[in-house]
Amino acid sequence: MQQEGTKGPTITLLRKIYSLAGRRPRTIYWLLVVIAMVSGVALRSPALDGTLLGDDWDHYAMVTGLYPVHRGPLDLYNFVADDAAERRALLRSGRFPWWTSPNVHLAVLRPLASALVELDFTLLDGQHHPNRIHWHSMLWWLLLVGGVAATLPMALSRPVAALAVWLYALDDAHTLPVTWSANRSELIAVALMTWALWARLAARTRGFGAGRWLSPALAGLALLSGEHALGPLAYIALFELLEGEGSPRQRAAPLAPFALLALAYVLVRSHLGYGVAGSSFYVDPIAEPLRYLEACAERLPLLLGDLTFGYAAEWKYS
């Protein structure tokens, strides 16, 4: 009798939960999403107490005028332009070691991410309060996970979508952009592009009319945050090409604004002199396509091993 009494309330509670899930699956889904977000923040909470790392110090030097060459608020990811005088200045200052490649060029077009870095040090006083910078990054991470959670139920069942959100939120790969503020550009670009995908899906499947202009607008902001936005554009392209109606040409027509944005980004990047050269780690697929393919043949198996077996891809560069 005692055993039955113990089971009774437990079974009743489970039945209530299942009943609630049956009546309000959306509520249960978003409750699970919130718990996943809170868990993700809790797991990364040690990063909030960290200091500046690597390129963060370059950004601090640029904002305060200590960097050997001048950089404006929208150009903080331009570490060395394709200019001999700049290379000499960086070598003389000791920022670059003597063995640096004579044609080194490390400049990426990320004006929106750059402007937010400027605010880190001017508005948030990040030099003295680096935790504020990390919280800034964490907010973008939350926006990213929220975008994933909003998008997945339009393609998957809610239980599968909830599991995917949990796996995504707890992935340790997301810790670095929170800890290393210079890498926040990746969070910003992917978060905005994820919401651009949501807007596009909502426009096509839920009658969200504003999504037709909101999606390209968010995609444009994502590209202003960095080249990381180019990859997620493939999701929007595949959705239109595979799920759209009509002939292949009719399916491709809605992609015109996104194609123009991507083309504009590439052309402006080239015109303003952004690019990468003289580096053994970074490879520009536009300037050096063959070297890029060679690097892919070497690095993709490393990344696949990391993703599949948890075998750190960084071992080759350590």
Side-chain angles (χ1 to χ4, degrees), residues 45-71:
S45 58
L48 300 174
D49 296 324
T51 183
L52 304 182
L53 295 174
D55 299 342
D56 298 339
W57 290 108
D58 287 312
H59 286 158
Y60 163 71
M62 291 174 183
V63 172
T64 57
L66 298 175
Y67 203 66
V69 293
H70 174 71
R71 291 290 182 261

Side-chain angles (χ1 to χ4, degrees), residues 209-228:
R212 299 188 180 277
W213 61 262
L214 182 60
S215 184
L218 289 171
L221 290 174
L223 287 167
L224 290 176
S225 303
E227 68 285 358
H228 309 97

Side-chain angles (χ1 to χ4, degrees), residues 23-165:
R23 292 198 305 267
R24 299 180 179 178
R26 185 175 180 180
T27 301
I28 296 297
Y29 173 76
W30 281 105
L31 177 61
L32 291 172
V33 168
V34 170
I35 296 173
M37 287 180 169
V38 172
S39 301
V41 172
L43 286 173
R44 295 172 179 87
S45 58
L48 300 174
D49 296 324
T51 183
L52 304 182
L53 295 174
D55 299 342
D56 298 339
W57 290 108
D58 287 312
H59 286 158
Y60 163 71
M62 291 174 183
V63 172
T64 57
L66 298 175
Y67 203 66
V69 293
H70 174 71
R71 291 290 182 261
L74 302 181
D75 202 24
L76 300 183
Y77 284 90
N78 185 354
F79 298 101
V80 53
D82 189 13
D83 181 82
E86 283 203 2
R87 296 188 189 101
R88 288 194 297 269
L90 290 163
L91 284 168
R92 283 196 306 268
S93 68
R95 176 61 189 89
F96 282 176
W98 62 266
W99 63 81
T100 300
S101 172
N103 68 323
V104 65
H105 180 201
L106 299 172
V108 283
L109 181 61
R110 302 172 183 173
L112 178 56
S114 177
L116 293 175
V117 168
E118 175 85 9
L119 292 179
D120 283 341
F121 292 102
T122 56
L123 183 63
L124 301 181
D125 192 19
Q127 176 197 0
H128 301 102
H129 303 282
N131 62 309
R132 297 176 182 175
I133 298 180
H134 299 316
W135 267 114
H136 181 186
S137 300
M138 187 71 82
L139 291 175
W140 280 103
W141 179 82
L142 288 170
L143 184 66
L144 169 59
V145 178
V148 171
T151 302
L152 287 180
M154 289 188 278
L156 304 170
S157 66
R158 280 199 176 93
V160 175
L163 176 60
V165 171

Side-chain angles (χ1 to χ4, degrees), residues 109-113 188-197 212-230 233 236 257-265:
L109 181 61
R110 302 172 183 173
L112 178 56
I188 300 171
V190 178
L192 291 172
M193 193 59 77
T194 300
W195 281 104
L197 174 61
R212 299 188 180 277
W213 61 262
L214 182 60
S215 184
L218 289 171
L221 290 174
L223 287 167
L224 290 176
S225 303
E227 68 285 358
H228 309 97
L230 291 170
L233 267 177
I236 296 177
F258 301 97
L260 289 174
L261 286 170
L263 179 61
Y265 175 84

